[in-house]
Amino acid sequence: MDTPCNLVPPHIADKEHLVSQRTLVLLKPDAVRRGLTGEIISRIERKAGWQITALELRTLDQDTLEQHYGEHKGKPFYEPLVEFMASGPVVAMIVEGERVIEGLRALAGPTDPIAAAPGSIRGDYGVIVRENLIHASDSEESAEREVKIFFPGRA
Ligand code: IDP
Ligand code: MG
Protein backbone atom coordinates (compact mmCIF):
# COMPACT_ATOMS: atom_id res chain seq x y z
CA MET A 1 0.00 0.00 0.00
CA ASP A 2 1.21 3.51 -0.77
CA THR A 3 2.33 5.59 2.15
CA PRO A 4 0.13 8.67 2.39
CA CYS A 5 3.04 11.13 2.23
CA ASN A 6 1.49 12.96 -0.70
CA LEU A 7 -1.69 13.49 1.33
CA VAL A 8 -0.16 15.90 3.87
CA PRO A 9 -2.28 19.07 3.71
CA PRO A 10 -0.31 22.09 2.42
CA HIS A 11 -0.58 24.05 5.70
CA ILE A 12 1.15 21.18 7.53
CA ALA A 13 3.69 20.50 4.77
CA ASP A 14 4.75 24.19 4.97
CA LYS A 15 5.60 23.75 8.62
CA GLU A 16 8.06 21.01 7.79
CA HIS A 17 10.43 23.66 6.47
CA LEU A 18 11.60 24.03 10.01
CA VAL A 19 13.64 26.95 11.22
CA SER A 20 15.82 26.91 14.29
CA GLN A 21 15.07 29.80 16.61
CA ARG A 22 15.89 30.92 20.11
CA THR A 23 13.63 32.40 22.75
CA LEU A 24 14.02 34.03 26.14
CA VAL A 25 12.14 32.32 28.97
CA LEU A 26 11.70 33.57 32.52
CA LEU A 27 10.29 31.38 35.27
CA LYS A 28 8.74 34.11 37.38
CA PRO A 29 9.16 34.53 41.16
CA ASP A 30 5.91 32.65 41.87
CA ALA A 31 7.25 29.58 40.00
CA VAL A 32 10.47 29.68 42.04
CA ARG A 33 8.66 30.25 45.38
CA ARG A 34 6.22 27.42 44.70
CA GLY A 35 8.93 24.95 43.72
CA LEU A 36 7.60 24.56 40.18
CA THR A 37 10.78 25.29 38.23
CA GLY A 38 11.73 21.61 37.89
CA GLU A 39 8.26 20.73 36.61
CA ILE A 40 8.26 23.56 34.08
CA ILE A 41 11.82 22.88 32.90
CA SER A 42 10.88 19.19 32.47
CA ARG A 43 8.04 20.14 30.16
CA ILE A 44 10.44 22.18 28.04
CA GLU A 45 13.05 19.41 27.99
CA ARG A 46 10.50 16.76 27.02
CA LYS A 47 9.60 18.59 23.81
CA ALA A 48 11.93 16.71 21.48
CA GLY A 49 14.66 18.68 19.81
CA TRP A 50 14.74 21.80 21.96
CA GLN A 51 17.80 22.70 23.98
CA ILE A 52 18.32 24.93 26.99
CA THR A 53 21.50 26.81 26.09
CA ALA A 54 21.62 29.24 29.04
CA LEU A 55 20.09 29.00 32.51
CA GLU A 56 20.55 31.21 35.55
CA LEU A 57 18.78 31.93 38.84
CA ARG A 58 18.86 35.65 39.50
CA THR A 59 16.98 38.52 41.12
CA LEU A 60 16.07 41.20 38.61
CA ASP A 61 16.84 44.89 39.17
CA GLN A 62 14.58 47.79 38.21
CA ASP A 63 16.64 48.71 35.17
CA THR A 64 16.44 45.21 33.69
CA LEU A 65 12.69 45.04 34.34
CA GLU A 66 12.10 48.45 32.80
CA GLN A 67 13.91 47.36 29.65
CA HIS A 68 12.14 44.02 29.54
CA TYR A 69 8.61 45.29 30.15
CA GLY A 70 9.05 48.76 28.56
CA GLU A 71 6.16 48.14 26.15
CA HIS A 72 3.76 48.01 29.13
CA LYS A 73 4.95 51.20 30.86
CA GLY A 74 1.96 53.43 31.68
CA LYS A 75 -0.54 50.54 31.82
CA PRO A 76 -2.34 50.02 35.16
CA PHE A 77 -0.69 46.64 35.73
CA TYR A 78 2.86 47.84 35.01
CA GLU A 79 3.96 48.98 38.50
CA PRO A 80 2.58 45.94 40.37
CA LEU A 81 4.08 43.71 37.66
CA VAL A 82 7.56 45.17 38.12
CA GLU A 83 7.22 44.92 41.91
CA PHE A 84 6.19 41.27 41.62
CA MET A 85 8.98 40.45 39.17
CA ALA A 86 11.54 41.92 41.61
CA SER A 87 10.03 40.13 44.65
CA GLY A 88 12.30 37.10 44.42
CA PRO A 89 14.64 35.28 42.09
CA VAL A 90 13.61 34.16 38.61
CA VAL A 91 15.11 31.47 36.41
CA ALA A 92 16.24 33.06 33.13
CA MET A 93 16.85 30.75 30.17
CA ILE A 94 17.58 30.72 26.49
CA VAL A 95 15.82 27.85 24.74
CA GLU A 96 16.77 26.96 21.17
CA GLY A 97 15.17 24.73 18.58
CA GLU A 98 12.71 24.43 15.78
CA ARG A 99 9.74 26.81 16.06
CA VAL A 100 10.58 27.28 19.73
CA ILE A 101 9.09 30.80 19.96
CA GLU A 102 5.60 29.67 18.96
CA GLY A 103 6.11 26.41 20.85
CA LEU A 104 7.01 27.98 24.19
CA ARG A 105 4.02 30.35 23.94
CA ALA A 106 1.81 27.29 23.36
CA LEU A 107 3.32 25.41 26.32
CA ALA A 108 2.79 28.48 28.53
CA GLY A 109 -0.81 29.16 27.45
CA PRO A 110 -2.48 32.56 27.25
CA THR A 111 -1.71 35.38 29.71
CA ASP A 112 -4.78 34.81 31.92
CA PRO A 113 -4.30 31.44 33.66
CA ILE A 114 -8.04 30.94 34.10
CA ALA A 115 -8.52 31.24 30.33
CA ALA A 116 -5.51 28.98 29.70
CA ALA A 117 -6.37 25.39 28.83
CA PRO A 118 -5.50 22.62 31.29
CA GLY A 119 -2.34 20.98 29.97
CA SER A 120 -0.61 24.33 29.52
CA ILE A 121 1.71 25.60 32.26
CA ARG A 122 -0.48 28.58 33.13
CA GLY A 123 -3.64 26.48 32.77
CA ASP A 124 -2.34 23.80 35.13
CA TYR A 125 -0.75 25.94 37.84
CA GLY A 126 -1.99 29.55 37.66
CA VAL A 127 -4.96 31.56 38.88
CA ILE A 128 -3.73 35.19 39.05
CA VAL A 129 -3.08 37.08 35.80
CA ARG A 130 0.05 38.81 37.14
CA GLU A 131 1.47 35.68 38.78
CA ASN A 132 1.29 33.51 35.70
CA LEU A 133 4.52 31.59 36.23
CA ILE A 134 6.35 32.06 32.94
CA HIS A 135 7.44 34.59 30.36
CA ALA A 136 8.32 33.53 26.81
CA SER A 137 9.25 35.88 23.95
CA ASP A 138 6.35 36.57 21.58
CA SER A 139 8.27 37.03 18.27
CA GLU A 140 11.73 36.77 16.74
CA GLU A 141 12.26 40.51 17.25
CA SER A 142 11.26 40.29 20.94
CA ALA A 143 13.44 37.22 21.41
CA GLU A 144 16.56 38.93 20.08
CA ARG A 145 15.84 42.08 22.11
CA GLU A 146 15.22 40.07 25.31
CA VAL A 147 18.22 37.74 24.89
CA LYS A 148 20.37 40.89 24.68
CA ILE A 149 18.90 42.20 27.97
CA PHE A 150 19.36 38.99 29.97
CA PHE A 151 22.37 37.38 28.29
CA PRO A 152 24.32 40.19 26.61
CA GLY A 153 27.20 37.78 25.95
CA ARG A 154 24.88 35.74 23.69
CA ALA A 155 23.59 38.64 21.61
P1 IDP B 1 2.39 37.66 28.11
O1 IDP B 1 3.31 37.41 29.28
O2 IDP B 1 1.40 36.55 27.94
O3 IDP B 1 3.14 38.01 26.83
P2 IDP B 1 1.69 40.51 28.28
O4 IDP B 1 0.42 41.08 27.78
O5 IDP B 1 2.95 40.81 27.50
O6 IDP B 1 1.48 38.93 28.47
O7 IDP B 1 1.88 41.03 29.77
C1 IDP B 1 3.09 40.84 30.46
C2 IDP B 1 2.79 40.32 31.85
O8 IDP B 1 2.09 41.33 32.58
C3 IDP B 1 1.86 39.12 31.91
O9 IDP B 1 2.54 37.88 31.72
C4 IDP B 1 1.29 39.24 33.31
O10 IDP B 1 2.24 38.80 34.29
C5 IDP B 1 1.14 40.75 33.44
N1 IDP B 1 -0.19 41.22 33.03
C6 IDP B 1 -0.66 41.37 31.77
N2 IDP B 1 -1.92 41.84 31.76
C7 IDP B 1 -2.26 41.99 33.05
C8 IDP B 1 -3.46 42.43 33.71
O11 IDP B 1 -4.46 42.77 33.10
N3 IDP B 1 -3.44 42.44 35.08
C9 IDP B 1 -2.34 42.06 35.81
N4 IDP B 1 -1.20 41.65 35.22
C10 IDP B 1 -1.16 41.60 33.87
MG1 MG C 1 4.27 39.71 26.35
Side-chain angles (χ1 to χ4, degrees):
M1 203 171 88
D2 282 352
T3 50
C5 59
N6 59 341
L7 299 178
V8 175
H11 71 283
I12 292 175
D14 284 345
K15 291 183 177 173
E16 298 198 343
H17 294 280
L18 298 171
V19 181
S20 189
Q21 298 178 321
R22 60 184 186 167
T23 192
L24 188 279
V25 174
L26 300 174
L27 308 185
K28 298 183 178 186
D30 55 331
V32 176
R33 270 195 289 273
R34 293 171 59 194
L36 290 170
T37 57
E39 167 62 31
I40 296 170
I41 291 169
S42 294
R43 292 181 180 212
I44 296 169
E45 287 183 316
R46 288 199 296 259
K47 286 293 270 194
W50 291 351
Q51 271 201 314
I52 296 168
T53 56
L55 185 149
E56 193 184 312
L57 182 77
R58 71 163 88 147
T59 302
L60 304 179
D61 58 38
Q62 293 295 313
D63 187 50
T64 302
L65 283 166
E66 234 173 80
Q67 286 182 57
H68 179 61
Y69 280 130
E71 64 173 308
H72 296 304
K73 211 165 182 175
K75 295 181 185 169
F77 65 80
Y78 176 76
E79 296 294 341
L81 172 65
V82 167
E83 191 179 330
F84 161 63
M85 289 297 293
S87 69
V90 306
V91 173
M93 294 186 272
I94 299 173
V95 187
E96 301 194 12
E98 284 161 0
R99 298 176 66 208
V100 73
I101 295 173
E102 181 189 356
L104 242 307
R105 297 282 294 186
L107 272 193
T111 310
D112 176 357
I114 295 295
S120 67
I121 293 161
R122 289 165 168 172
D124 282 349
Y125 300 116
V127 176
I128 304 166
V129 177
R130 180 168 46 248
E131 301 185 16
N132 60 0
L133 300 143
I134 183 167
H135 165 85
S137 308
D138 63 10
S139 64
E140 286 190 35
E141 296 70 37
S142 303
E144 288 314 300
R145 190 180 70 79
E146 293 168 3
V147 164
K148 215 176 279 181
I149 296 169
F150 289 89
F151 297 99
R154 304 296 194 88

